[in-house]
Amino acid sequence: MLNNSKDKQLSAWRLYLASHTHLTTHLDSHLKASGLISFDTLIILTALIESPNNRLRMSELAANITFSRSGLSRKVDRLERAGLIRREPAPNDRRGWYAVATDEGIEARAKALSVYEPELENVWRSVLSEEESAQLSALLSEVIKRATG
Amino acid sequence: MLNNSKDKQLSAWRLYLASHTHLTTHLDSHLKASGLISFDTLIILTALIESPNNRLRMSELAANITFSRSGLSRKVDRLERAGLIRREPAPNDRRGWYAVATDEGIEARAKALSVYEPELENVWRSVLSEEESAQLSALLSEVIKRATG
DNA sequence: AAAGATTGATCTGTCAATCTTT
DNA sequence: AAAGATTGACAGATCAATCTTT
């Protein structure tokens, strides 16, 4: 009864969700326990720092991120108060703003990565061999490509 | 420079996160657009309904779920107000409570599944072949097994 | 004292409405 | 009128403190 293709998909999906929850909560708690920036903040700073001049328009940043536009405004507010990001007006469009990673933000991200990356490597290595990891990457790239293409 | 095993892991991880965000937001918006229970509620009701007598101790439910214990209390409050769940005292331990899915909750879950499952099947089929899906399931079961075992 | 669960205070997220510029 | 972004009002999540029972 549980053998048809639909149920296979449903159980694959459940595994997917369960593994995601497990891994993210583990990694996130490691960051918090070390008194570092949160995972969300890490993602935002990374998006900025990987862009030219450490900056992205609010709308571009929102597109990279899970948050709604208004949620992002508030998140950037907080990060600005914390000194990790600053806002700059867009030169050619007076409606627009850039979010820019500050030096402090760049440093905070580097510190977080120095905890996060080894731990990610640890966790990942403890659950998948290098070959399996490559297999998984290949599958997921296909997922992304077909989902967005 | 991006060829060592650590960077492979990091990029696999990014793909994993990106695909998760993409798929969950898509599916969740489908539920909301249909005026049905949220995805979180679906997960909670499913956990209850798959347990004996449609019930689980609060602490057991919390273990199945992302939420913190206090977060779960509040969520169950709301679901109780909505009539989808009721609380019953545990017979042998007067500290404890069961969360029990009501008939209305069982029905609401069935309705949500009738939207969610076909859409999940749609999405999943559009991004992975049946063989790929089986491969992914196999990999993820290993992840879960090794992460929790 | 520890376990099961809830509550108070506070922070974060979201929707709809708003403001400014195009 | 539409695009870029923020704000007000409210719902949801989280931490620590609390209460009850073991």
Side-chain angles (χ1 to χ4, degrees):
Chain A
M1 213 47 149
L2 268 160
N3 279 359
N4 64 49
S5 134
K6 184 162 128 190
D7 286 324
K8 269 190 217 154
Q9 290 174 348
L10 193 57
S11 71
W13 178 237
R14 283 179 172 219
L15 290 169
Y16 191 81
L17 292 176
S19 59
H20 179 265
T21 300
H22 196 88
L23 295 172
T24 52
T25 56
H26 177 86
L27 288 166
D28 207 31
S29 68
H30 249 260
L31 280 178
K32 278 185 194 152
S34 313
L36 298 167
I37 59 178
S38 76
F39 182 65
D40 281 354
T41 302
L42 176 57
I43 299 288
I44 289 178
L45 285 173
T46 298
L48 295 180
I49 289 169
E50 288 180 345
S51 301
N53 296 314
N54 299 324
R55 79 191 52 209
L56 233 31
R57 286 285 289 266
M58 290 299 288
S59 52
E60 296 171 319
L61 183 53
N64 270 297
I65 301 290
T66 316
F67 310 110
S68 64
R69 264 177 182 61
S70 55
L72 186 61
S73 288
R74 297 220 150 94
K75 194 127 195 146
V76 169
D77 283 349
R78 272 172 254 134
L79 296 177
E80 198 166 23
R81 260 181 266 133
L84 304 176
I85 282 180
R86 70 171 178 281
R87 275 182 241 239
E88 288 185 16
N92 300 324
D93 182 347
R94 284 190 304 182
R95 291 173 304 182
W97 290 89
Y98 281 98
V100 189
T102 62
D103 290 346
E104 203 179 330
I106 292 169
E107 195 185 344
R109 171 177 175 264
K111 266 192 202 140
L113 273 185
S114 76
V115 167
Y116 187 76
E117 281 191 337
E119 187 55 25
L120 171 59
E121 195 178 357
N122 249 351
V123 171
W124 205 253
R125 199 182 290 290
S126 77
V127 296
L128 287 177
S129 73
E130 200 159 332
E131 194 192 332
E132 289 168 327
S133 173
Q135 252 186 298
L136 184 57
S137 294
L139 284 169
L140 293 178
S141 337
E142 282 307 310
V143 170
I144 303 276
K145 196 191 300 172
R146 296 175 198 159
T148 59
Chain B
M1 212 49 148
L2 268 160
N3 280 0
N4 64 50
S5 132
K6 185 163 128 190
D7 287 324
K8 268 189 218 151
Q9 289 175 347
L10 194 55
S11 71
W13 179 235
R14 283 180 173 218
L15 289 169
Y16 191 82
L17 293 175
S19 60
H20 179 265
T21 300
H22 196 88
L23 296 172
T24 51
T25 56
H26 176 86
L27 288 167
D28 207 31
S29 66
H30 249 259
L31 281 178
K32 278 185 195 153
S34 314
L36 298 168
I37 59 178
S38 75
F39 181 64
D40 281 354
T41 301
L42 176 57
I43 299 288
I44 289 177
L45 285 173
T46 298
L48 295 181
I49 289 169
E50 290 181 344
S51 302
N53 296 314
N54 299 323
R55 77 192 51 210
L56 232 32
R57 285 286 288 266
M58 290 298 287
S59 52
E60 296 171 318
L61 183 54
N64 271 298
I65 301 290
T66 316
F67 312 110
S68 66
R69 266 178 179 61
S70 55
L72 186 61
S73 288
R74 298 216 151 94
K75 194 126 196 148
V76 170
D77 283 349
R78 271 172 255 133
L79 296 178
E80 199 166 23
R81 258 180 269 133
L84 304 177
I85 281 180
R86 69 172 179 278
R87 274 181 243 239
E88 287 185 16
N92 300 324
D93 182 348
R94 285 191 302 184
R95 291 171 305 181
W97 290 89
Y98 282 98
V100 188
T102 62
D103 290 347
E104 202 180 332
I106 292 170
E107 194 185 344
R109 170 176 175 264
K111 265 192 201 139
L113 273 185
S114 75
V115 168
Y116 186 77
E117 281 191 337
E119 186 55 25
L120 171 59
E121 194 178 357
N122 251 350
V123 171
W124 204 255
R125 200 183 287 292
S126 76
V127 296
L128 286 177
S129 73
E130 200 158 332
E131 193 192 332
E132 288 169 328
S133 174
Q135 251 187 296
L136 184 58
S137 293
L139 284 169
L140 293 178
S141 333
E142 283 306 310
V143 170
I144 303 275
K145 196 192 300 173
R146 295 178 199 159
T148 58

